[in-house]
Amino acid sequence: MSEVGQREQLVTTEGMSQGTIIRKKFLQHKPAVAGLIFMIFFAIFVYTASGIHLGTNEAKFTIQGWWKYSHEDLLPTGSCLSGCPSPDHPFGQIANGRDYFALVMRGAEISLMVMVIIGSLGAFIGTVIGAVSGFFGGIVDAVMMRFTDFIITVPSILIGAVIGYNFGAQGVVTLAVFLGVFAWTGLARLVRGEFLSLREREFVDAARVAGASNARIIFKHILPNSVGVIIVSTTLLLSSSILTETGLSFLGFGVQAPDVSLGLLINQYQGDFTFAPWLFWWPGIIIILIALSINFVGDGLRDAFDPRQRKDVKRRKKARLEAQQSAAANQ
Amino acid sequence: MLTYVARRIAIALLILFGSTFLSYNLAAYSGDPLQAIRESTDPKKESIIAELTKTYQLDVPPPARYFLWLKGILGVLIGKPDFGISVSTRIPVIDSLALAIPATIRLVTAATILAIVVGITFGIISSIRQYSRLDYSLTFLAFVLFSLPIFWVAVLLKEYMAIGFNDFLAKPQIDLIWNVLMSFLPGLIIAGFIGGNRKRFLISWAASFAAFFVLFFFASATGWFRDPSIGIVGVAIIGVSTSLGLCHIFAGLQNKKALYAGLTSVAVGVGVYFPFNMIANGSANYMMIVGFAILVLVVSYFIGYFFTSIDRGPVITVSMLSAVFVALFTVLDRFMKSWKEYYVLTDGRPIQTMSAYNITLKSNDFWIVNLDIITHLILPTTALTLISFAGYLRYSRASVLEVLNMDYVRTARAKGIPEREVILRHALRNAMIPLTTLIAFDIAGIVGGAIITENVFGWRGMGSLAAEAIGAQDLNLLMATFSISAFLAVMATLAADVFYTILDPRIRIRG
């Protein structure tokens, strides 16, 4: 091979940016890709099912969804007394005739929304507190970390229960915001650790020598380097917050009727298990599918951002097997 | 070290003060404990309100009332804590706590220990067999368990494990299809543990499948599930085979000293089978069981100790663990002897779905009473174990993998140390250090984690007290559960940090 050819090869391998490497590694992680695709389609599926209903009764703004019933429609019950599934009502009906598919879709809608609000609030507050604490260190760090410890001492489900019980009736968004305000502790600790190690690195010194302000160093230099930690723990926060919300709603402290949540549905119909098990199965399966796919996406992202992660697992395994076989043959 | 601990305790107390102050005010301002009475039509309601306001000092604003409450709590220093009186039940909070705390401890202890032991064992195996089918399946299982809502699992467990098993006991015959399915799975897991190439995998799978199939077939044919027993022969067979397995794992079968020490432990254990069964009649008590346990540990330690004078560690491990297994199966066998009677006492529905124990149980027999406690524990323990098992599995796997990639492990291998010792003596010790943090967090979250489980299974523990207190706006009750759980959290974190520095000499503390 000529020298020019070699150099060209070098250039093409060097050309991969950090983002490209991460994207490629992520796309190699099949469960994660499957999880991501599922989440996107599922969110679209859920949010278009009932359409958009805004405003009060006087000034209603409605876009009809693709599913024919709304979760509030009182429909005639079919021939089956326990409201068993039929082509018209794929998930069956509950006692007063409401279509369970519409209810589950509405519950999934609310649970997803709560999850996103908790996740983004938690991620935002956690990142800010962790970044400030890790970057400035010293007394700021000590105070902020003691504050974090202090929030950690109170179990989140207890906070959630107090908040949910008192603010649950004021609507789902209020509940989600309050839960999000307490959900940042784990993330703050991780981001702090990342900032503590990154601020000692040469590129930060270089930026400071060049005259960059603290804000610029934080936002332009350190934050992009700790984005991996933030994204991965945000996905984990998302999957744990859907479990928190459904758990609280199950206990009766989260989303309150007439709002619907997947946890609330399970609580309401667990007693009907013997004669209408589908009322119990569907919301649970949907919670698991959401949490599972987010966990897989998180795992894929972790692998993608982790520079130590080997990407050629299959090749290594094959090589190891071949070596074993040849060793066996030699004996 | 002492100054470090003292400083940490001081900070912990400050944090406790802050968090209880915040939650006290949060809870006090969030609801009105007198609401129910205010809305009532009782003609004497004014006087009731006045009286309650006086008893609970509701006229004092919450920030100040907090200090009155704190004064009561600080009575713990002189051994007389005062948690106040519950608004909803009108009894002192401390009385409710005295009933609730033992229930919660019983609920979480077994589950936590099981999750730690099983989770770490599977995690280690998963990391040693990295990228094998077993590893992939365990990883997938962990993700599924991470995503499970515990309240949903609990209802399913009630439905299938309890009601299904109880129905099965009415006619304890396993049909052929179920037998094949039930033998299929453990065979797969065992074969995955053993590993090796495809041929070896299939052989071990087939062997364990056949063993389980025959076992289930005989159990079904003889009505074993209704009147189970292991018997001295069964204990001996199980003892010898576990001892061989333990010897293979911890010392290697070529280590004759370990092999003989383990088998001696088993022989001694089988020797005390009849004496134990004679002493352990219906009037046995807990002291006896504790004494028995200590005796087992001491005797087996000395068996291992006297079998060899060089490299005692693995030999003692094998002899002690063998003895523990034989003792466990002996006790299990003793419980099985009471199973038939318990089955009749519960009208043929022995696996319980609600509450912590059967109040109407008509028996004072030690074994039956404990069997009752165990059958009530099975479902919540399974649910809690399933949920926290995944965390230990993933964490220990990652931790062992990280250590196995370190240079000193490579050095150990290069020196020619057998793989068993590289893993047991070099890798595992360092890999287990980070787990102290996880265990501490688990302990810190006990009250929070118990809320849902206690709710679903109808236990009267700390979690259900907290839930009840929130529902009834019962400030004193709520604050009692809050402060105990905050105290646990602070102390667990502190203990984790201290243990960490003791276990890991690389961490130095500046006083």
Side-chain angles (χ1 to χ4, degrees):
Chain A
M1 197 183 278
S2 72
E3 215 182 330
V4 180
Q6 270 183 353
R7 196 181 299 149
E8 263 173 12
Q9 221 179 3
L10 276 178
V11 168
T12 47
T13 46
E14 274 172 5
M16 287 217 289
S17 73
Q18 189 73 19
T20 321
I21 295 173
I22 289 168
R23 199 172 60 242
K24 280 202 164 164
K25 270 167 124 183
F26 180 79
L27 291 178
Q28 279 172 356
H29 196 293
K30 288 195 186 70
V33 176
L36 187 66
I37 293 172
F38 172 79
M39 270 318 290
I40 293 169
F41 278 100
F42 185 71
I44 296 172
F45 180 78
V46 164
Y47 274 89
T48 52
S50 62
I52 297 168
H53 304 274
L54 292 173
T56 52
N57 280 330
E58 291 86 52
K60 225 172 192 173
F61 171 75
T62 307
I63 298 174
Q64 197 55 46
W66 55 266
W67 182 241
K68 50 198 168 188
Y69 305 117
S70 145
H71 67 281
E72 285 162 330
D73 292 347
L74 298 176
L75 305 161
T77 40
S79 53
C80 176
L81 269 182
S82 56
C84 47
S86 61
D88 203 31
H89 303 284
F91 287 8
Q93 281 174 292
I94 61 170
N96 58 12
R98 288 187 185 178
D99 179 51
Y100 200 57
F101 181 78
L103 270 172
V104 169
M105 286 299 118
R106 178 70 185 158
E109 218 174 277
I110 289 186
S111 292
L112 279 177
M113 184 181 74
V114 173
M115 179 184 94
V116 170
I117 294 177
I118 297 179
S120 39
L121 255 181
F124 177 73
I125 303 176
T127 308
V128 169
I129 290 192
V132 170
S133 183
F135 183 78
F136 292 105
I139 187 88
V140 178
D141 180 38
V143 170
M144 286 201 159
M145 279 302 111
R146 292 297 84 78
F147 179 65
T148 313
D149 282 350
F150 153 72
I151 299 286
I152 289 176
T153 50
V154 189
S156 55
I157 199 149
L158 273 185
I159 297 183
V162 169
I163 292 166
Y165 187 78
N166 295 296
F167 300 100
Q170 292 180 12
V172 185
V173 178
T174 326
L175 173 76
V177 168
F178 270 102
L179 286 177
V181 167
F182 285 95
W184 49 268
T185 47
L187 208 134
R189 285 191 157 188
L190 288 174
V191 173
R192 169 183 172 263
E194 194 72 8
F195 265 67
L196 273 180
S197 71
L198 283 176
R199 70 166 188 180
E200 306 294 336
R201 297 271 286 273
E202 289 84 355
F203 68 87
V204 174
D205 289 340
R208 186 165 286 127
V209 169
S213 67
N214 278 341
R216 192 180 164 80
I217 293 176
I218 292 178
F219 288 112
K220 286 274 173 189
H221 296 271
I222 303 186
L223 203 57
N225 279 299
S226 47
V227 87
V229 172
I230 296 172
I231 290 181
V232 170
S233 29
T234 305
T235 53
L236 297 180
L237 181 64
L238 284 175
S239 76
S240 74
S241 57
I242 191 167
L243 293 183
T244 309
E245 180 270 318
T246 50
L248 279 175
S249 304
F250 175 80
L251 285 174
F253 296 134
V255 175
Q256 317 261 323
D259 275 327
V260 194
S261 140
L262 294 174
L264 196 62
L265 287 176
I266 293 179
N267 183 25
Q268 281 166 338
Y269 304 113
Q270 57 169 333
D272 299 351
F273 194 94
T274 36
F275 57 90
W278 54 89
L279 296 183
F280 172 81
W281 280 102
W282 281 114
I285 288 172
I286 287 174
I287 296 175
I288 294 174
L289 282 179
I290 295 173
L292 190 63
S293 49
I294 296 176
N295 275 328
F296 275 132
V297 173
D299 191 48
L301 286 171
R302 195 205 329 255
D303 284 1
F305 279 109
D306 187 357
R308 286 171 306 177
Q309 188 68 30
R310 297 170 208 154
K311 43 187 173 176
D312 49 351
V313 173
K314 288 237 168 86
R315 221 182 304 151
R316 271 164 184 269
K317 216 174 136 182
K318 209 174 152 195
R320 206 177 60 199
L321 273 178
E322 275 166 5
Q324 272 178 6
Q325 276 161 3
S326 65
N330 286 340
Q331 280 174 2
Chain B
M1 188 74 191
L2 268 181
T3 44
Y4 169 76
V5 174
R7 207 186 58 197
R8 284 296 306 266
I9 289 178
I11 295 175
L13 288 179
L14 267 180
I15 288 175
L16 268 182
F17 171 75
S19 86
T20 47
F21 184 75
L22 177 86
S23 36
Y24 193 92
N25 286 296
L26 192 75
Y29 279 118
S30 69
D32 178 10
L34 301 178
Q35 198 173 11
I37 302 162
R38 273 193 231 283
E39 284 166 359
S40 76
T41 50
D42 193 333
K44 288 187 292 183
K45 90 178 169 186
E46 290 304 319
S47 67
I48 295 176
I49 289 176
E51 191 204 320
L52 286 179
T53 308
K54 192 160 170 279
T55 325
Y56 299 109
Q57 291 158 322
L58 294 177
D59 46 346
V60 183
R65 203 173 348 133
Y66 168 77
F67 288 96
L68 293 174
W69 176 82
L70 187 67
K71 199 180 124 202
I73 296 290
L74 288 181
V76 84
L77 296 176
I78 53 168
K80 242 176 68 185
D82 177 15
F83 285 92
I85 297 166
S86 155
V87 179
S88 49
T89 56
R90 306 282 167 85
I91 55 170
V93 171
I94 193 137
D95 294 353
S96 316
L97 286 181
L99 291 175
I101 291 175
T104 299
I105 290 177
R106 205 182 320 151
L107 182 70
V108 292
T109 313
T112 312
I113 293 174
L114 258 179
I116 291 174
V117 172
V118 181
I120 291 180
T121 313
F122 276 55
I124 293 169
I125 293 167
S126 184
S127 65
I128 294 171
R129 308 240 177 278
Q130 195 189 9
Y131 302 136
S132 64
R133 272 187 202 86
L134 179 81
D135 184 31
Y136 284 127
S137 330
L138 282 177
T139 306
F140 183 75
L141 178 73
F143 275 114
V144 173
L145 292 179
F146 267 135
S147 318
L148 282 183
I150 187 168
F151 49 93
W152 195 73
V153 178
V155 175
L156 283 186
L157 282 178
K158 265 188 195 177
E159 207 57 45
Y160 292 108
M161 206 166 140
I163 299 176
F165 187 73
N166 285 340
D167 287 346
F168 161 76
L169 277 186
K171 190 180 157 293
Q173 258 88 45
I174 307 172
D175 52 29
L176 197 67
I177 299 167
W178 269 105
N179 194 348
V180 170
L181 283 177
M182 279 164 58
S183 320
F184 199 70
L185 206 64
L188 197 62
I189 296 172
I190 290 173
F193 276 7
I194 293 170
N197 57 15
R198 184 157 301 173
K199 192 177 155 200
R200 196 172 148 190
F201 179 84
L202 287 177
I203 289 174
S204 41
W205 188 1
S208 43
F209 174 80
F212 274 100
F213 188 85
V214 171
L215 212 62
F216 283 133
F217 183 78
F218 274 106
S220 162
T222 54
W224 188 83
F225 291 98
R226 192 78 75 72
D227 183 18
S229 80
I230 300 176
I232 187 163
V233 181
V235 171
I237 294 172
I238 294 172
V240 170
S241 44
T242 34
S243 176
L244 290 178
L246 289 166
C247 183
H248 175 67
I249 292 170
F250 287 101
L253 287 175
Q254 77 286 352
N255 186 339
K256 294 293 176 234
K257 305 266 187 197
L259 186 67
Y260 296 149
L263 290 178
T264 313
S265 281
V266 174
V268 173
V270 172
V272 283
Y273 177 86
F274 283 119
F276 174 79
N277 272 283
M278 259 185 326
I279 305 165
N281 52 18
S283 55
N285 55 38
Y286 289 110
M287 286 311 293
M288 227 177 87
I289 299 296
V290 173
F292 177 65
I294 293 172
L295 196 72
V296 166
L297 292 179
V298 171
V299 170
S300 59
Y301 178 85
F302 280 108
I303 289 173
Y305 187 86
F306 287 121
F307 251 90
T308 178
S309 53
I310 41 162
D311 196 20
R312 284 195 171 113
V315 180
I316 291 176
T317 312
V318 171
S319 73
M320 282 181 89
L321 282 178
S322 308
V324 167
F325 272 99
V326 171
L328 280 180
F329 277 103
T330 311
V331 172
L332 185 69
D333 182 63
R334 181 63 193 77
F335 272 118
M336 285 175 171
K337 289 200 170 87
S338 299
W339 177 254
K340 201 174 174 185
E341 200 184 333
Y342 184 71
Y343 178 79
V344 176
L345 279 173
T346 51
D347 299 325
R349 308 211 63 84
I351 305 290
Q352 310 291 322
T353 55
M354 289 304 268
S355 86
Y357 49 84
N358 194 345
I359 307 167
T360 55
L361 188 73
K362 293 183 208 65
S363 177
N364 287 322
D365 188 298
F366 175 79
W367 299 96
I368 295 208
V369 170
N370 278 295
L371 206 54
D372 185 56
I373 291 178
I374 292 171
T375 51
H376 282 88
L377 264 176
I378 287 178
L379 291 191
T381 301
T382 314
L384 283 173
T385 310
L386 279 180
I387 301 296
S388 47
F389 161 78
Y392 287 105
L393 173 75
R394 292 294 292 164
Y395 213 89
S396 55
R397 177 182 179 274
S399 181
V400 173
L401 277 182
E402 185 160 338
V403 171
L404 281 179
N405 282 329
M406 292 232 190
D407 287 342
Y408 78 91
V409 171
R410 188 179 304 155
T411 311
R413 282 186 181 139
K415 282 193 293 187
I417 295 174
E419 185 66 18
R420 171 184 299 114
E421 291 187 13
V422 171
I423 290 170
L424 284 177
R425 291 195 181 174
H426 295 249
L428 280 192
R429 290 197 178 176
N430 280 325
M432 290 305 112
I433 294 175
L435 285 169
T436 49
T437 325
L438 190 65
I439 294 173
F441 269 106
D442 239 31
I443 291 170
I446 276 178
V447 176
I451 290 189
I452 293 177
T453 325
E454 286 176 7
N455 179 294
V456 181
F457 292 109
W459 281 54
R460 303 272 310 143
M462 293 290 288
S464 61
L465 270 194
E468 208 174 279
I470 293 165
Q473 299 288 357
D474 196 335
L475 188 58
N476 284 335
L477 195 56
L478 180 65
M479 281 314 294
T481 51
F482 245 80
S483 47
I484 287 174
S485 120
F487 178 77
L488 266 182
V490 169
M491 286 303 141
T493 334
L494 178 64
D497 286 353
V498 173
F499 274 122
Y500 215 111
T501 54
I502 293 172
L503 292 175
D504 192 343
R506 284 169 299 184
I507 296 174
R508 297 253 180 281
I509 306 167
R510 280 152 296 165

